[in-house]
Amino acid sequence: MLTETVPPAAAPAARQKIRLGDLLVEQKVISAADLDIALTAQKKSGRRLGRIIVESGLAGENDIAQALARQLAIPFVDLRKFNPDPSILQLLGETQARRFRAIPLGRREGDIFVGMADPTDLFAYDEVARLIEGGIQLAVVAEGDLLSAIDRLYRRTDDIHGLTEELARDMGESEASIIGLDALGEGQADAPVVRLLQTLFEDALQVNASDVHIEPQEKQLMIRFRIDGVLHRQTEADLRIAPALALRLKIVSGLDISEKRLPQDGRFAVKVRGRTVDVRLSTMPTQYGESVVMRLLSQGDNAPTLDTLGMPPAMLERFRAILHRPNGLVLVTGPTGSGKTTTLYAALGELNDPGTKIITVEDPVEYRLPGVNQVQANDKIDLSFARVLRAMLRQDPDVILVGEMRDPETAQIALRAAMTGHLVLSTLHTNDAASTPVRLLDMGVPSFMVATSVQGVLAQRLLRKVCEHCKAPHVPTPQERVWLGAAYAEGDAYVAGRGCERCHGTGHAGRQAIHELLEISAPLADALARKPPAEFVLAARAELAGRTLRDQALALARSGVASLSEAMRVSAQDETH
């Protein structure tokens, strides 16, 4: 069903012959002088005139598309605001859509409504009409938006399902059929298991998934993607293929393929559509087979900066001031997947300069930072966090990053380093900023060390943003009114996503970090050293009043960035406070 009203289309528009340059000059999109420049560049490069005009900044893609639509008397459709009918989309395969720069949009007066980047391409028009096998009506779309829409809309679900069935047929009736799969090398790219995994990675990157879960169940194999922090089922397959997938992934990760009783961790790189992706792999034996989880990290991603974290300006200024102190411990806290590592790397980017020696111990190293000495912990060879940390202190560092305070020994060494002239950055798994110093006490670190070393604690969560393409006004439910409490007021405007193909039906697209920053002032340090932990926590929460994770989540809901239900979800762990 079409979601945009468009004027009637002339048919068939593709039979009109148009000189693009003359058209753009005639409609005053570009000047005659601009056209001469573009034509000269075209003669030298042989590239298409429209692409040269756009890349030279003479006109935008939408300007060209709209001029073409006016000339042909057919609609212009802005694909950034248009939701194609999913049932119609499959009339043209992804390969054909890319080749002919065309995308089916919906049904219109008994015909198929098709968007084309260049409706004057007679060959493409005829091929699209032949493939769709019916009458078509045309619209003009911007080429860049068209390619983005194809990336977004054409999932690899059917390909994945077909490959799982092909692999299941190859497997036979028992696990004995996988003998020989361990010999698959670079020359076996056509093997079903290799093609299936490659297609899975392509689909995962297409929907910006952060993790791929391969989970054997009692009667089938479930494959799920984590998108914006939430798991979505990709497909279900024959349980017999699970050992083949686990075996292949162990081979490329350099793991022990004979060991199925113990968890294993590995890493490998895969090339997907020209991008190199680092894959962190974890296997775990379950009742029905080995469960495999893969974290996807694109090597092309730039290291984050503090300015891109989304902190309020006042908080960012305070956090920067804490980072530039000569010594002390700065902790970033939150549950798994809350963006702690991203914040730590942003902090390192702030501190990284030729006059500062920075050493990190991590598991794993997620970003490569020039000028920073990064160490990968490896428990298999007894290269533990604590052992690396002791060696670090003999390397004359100014700044130390410890990926995680995993045990009391690591925590005590890190705090001693913070007391002796080093700035130490690390993470802890705690619910909020106020309870974090108490967690160090629970780990056996003496209270005087915690009080004198900890400079600041930044707690954070990742909150899903409302999808801009399907958000609509929302009236708070009774449960949401209870959560709002005194903050609820009649007439306050809130939004929620209805769900569309752009957000995979969730109503959410993208995430925004929220933070609370506790700076350990002299009174708080005194309470930490001399008073019971409960009294320190009460004093710390009083210090954070009005600047908590809940306050930030509510502010984003009021501004229309997030839904009330999402604000409630991310701050639920603080409700017991």
Side-chain angles (χ1 to χ4, degrees), residues 20 23-24 29-30 47-70 76-80 101 116-119 140-149:
L20 180 62
L23 170 64
L24 296 179
V29 176
I30 62 174
R47 302 173 65 204
R48 289 188 300 157
L49 182 62
R51 180 53 46 195
I52 291 172
I53 290 173
V54 171
E55 292 180 355
S56 301
L58 301 175
E61 283 191 339
N62 280 3
D63 297 327
I64 295 175
Q66 289 173 9
L68 196 55
R70 287 192 295 267
F76 164 75
V77 173
D78 187 346
L79 287 176
R80 295 170 298 180
R101 297 294 194 262
M116 294 187 69
D118 182 7
V140 186
V141 295
E143 184 175 10
D145 293 340
L146 171 70
L147 295 175
S148 296

Side-chain angles (χ1 to χ4, degrees), residues 2-34:
L2 296 182
T3 58
E4 181 173 308
T5 302
V6 292
R15 297 307 175 189
Q16 300 185 37
K17 293 185 178 181
I18 293 174
R19 292 172 61 91
L20 180 62
D22 294 339
L23 170 64
L24 296 179
V25 172
E26 180 184 335
Q27 296 200 16
K28 299 182 179 179
V29 176
I30 62 174
S31 67
D34 290 338

Side-chain angles (χ1 to χ4, degrees), residues 475-488 490 550 564 568:
V475 177
T477 65
Q479 293 83 358
E480 290 167 346
R481 292 187 185 189
V482 170
W483 180 77
L484 286 167
Y488 175 72
E490 290 286 350
R550 183 184 189 278
L564 271 175
M568 290 174 62

Side-chain angles (χ1 to χ4, degrees), residues 214 216 250 260-265 281-287 289-293:
I214 301 175
K250 284 182 176 181
K260 300 179 182 180
R261 302 164 301 168
L262 298 173
Q264 297 189 68
D265 295 316
L281 178 137
S282 171
T283 70
M284 183 177 69
T286 68
Q287 185 177 2
E290 286 186 282
S291 172
V292 180
V293 177

Side-chain angles (χ1 to χ4, degrees), residues 449-516:
M449 290 181 66
V450 179
T452 56
S453 300
V454 178
Q455 298 294 314
V457 181
L458 184 75
Q460 66 181 64
R461 301 285 189 278
L462 290 178
L463 176 146
R464 293 181 297 166
K465 298 189 288 187
V466 173
C467 175
E468 290 292 330
H469 300 281
C470 65
K471 73 177 180 180
H474 171 73
V475 177
T477 65
Q479 293 83 358
E480 290 167 346
R481 292 187 185 189
V482 170
W483 180 77
L484 286 167
Y488 175 72
E490 290 286 350
D492 280 354
Y494 297 101
V495 298
R498 296 184 301 247
C500 64
E501 92 288 337
R502 291 173 182 259
C503 61
H504 313 290
T506 64
H508 303 281
R511 291 190 286 181
Q512 166 76 50
I514 57 174
H515 309 84
E516 65 181 21

